[in-house]
Amino acid sequence: MNQSHPRILLLAAAGSLALGPAAAQPRFTAADYQHAEKFMGYNTTPLVFRSGVRPNWLPDERFWYRVTTAEGSEFVLVDPARGTRAPAFDHARLAIALSTAAGATYDSAHLPFTTIDYTPDASAVLVGAGGRRWRCDVEGSKCAVDNSP
């Protein structure tokens, strides 16, 4: 009797065991995909607050950033040399002043802009709203159309 015959059967059996689980691939349903989609970044990112800080550096080595909060968003000014972090401007008062100047209604947590520029002396922020560029003092007491180039 040929001794190679039992070895071939043994190898064939081992091979079928190794291929068995791989051959039986799982079947996913539409419900499985819908469940998984709930965990995709575009669905979870709005649920995470105060993340994704992107610094916008100023000439004097300070920087500002915009961050999302549970209420909306806020702008923060950081001075690394002094170790300070504070609102970039008075959000509530600026919303009122900009609403008055623009003839619109804005609230402090949902301002109509996502970026700001500071004037060279940092006494005012320049923002875009309603198709115009506005100059608002950082205390938020007054906003006016900015006509500078």
Side-chain angles (χ1 to χ4, degrees):
M1 178 171 177
N2 186 347
Q3 291 289 331
S4 65
H5 184 64
R7 288 183 189 151
I8 291 173
L9 288 175
L10 183 61
L11 288 172
S16 67
L17 289 175
L19 293 176
Q25 295 182 5
R27 304 257 183 217
F28 294 106
T29 66
D32 293 330
Y33 283 100
Q34 288 172 348
H35 179 75
E37 186 176 26
K38 292 178 183 176
F39 301 99
M40 296 297 291
Y42 53 81
N43 285 324
T44 59
T45 299
L47 305 174
V48 179
F49 304 117
R50 299 193 179 279
S51 69
V53 171
R54 187 177 316 148
N56 296 275
W57 290 95
L58 301 171
D60 63 0
E61 299 300 318
R62 295 180 305 160
F63 67 90
W64 67 267
Y65 63 91
R66 179 178 176 262
V67 66
T68 57
T69 68
E71 296 78 30
S73 64
E74 63 184 36
F75 292 82
V76 179
L77 180 63
V78 177
D79 187 337
R82 293 184 181 175
T84 60
R85 177 188 171 279
F89 50 84
D90 187 320
H91 291 70
R93 292 186 65 191
L94 187 135
I96 294 168
L98 185 58
S99 294
T100 301
T105 303
Y106 302 117
D107 76 82
S108 62
H110 301 93
L111 292 167
F113 48 87
T114 58
T115 186
I116 60 174
D117 288 315
Y118 277 93
T119 57
D121 65 358
S123 65
V125 290
L126 305 170
V127 300
R132 293 184 177 166
R133 187 164 169 93
W134 301 91
R135 176 186 299 254
C136 303
D137 66 324
V138 292
E139 289 83 25
S141 61
K142 182 180 179 184
C143 290
V145 173
D146 180 45
N147 294 318
S148 63

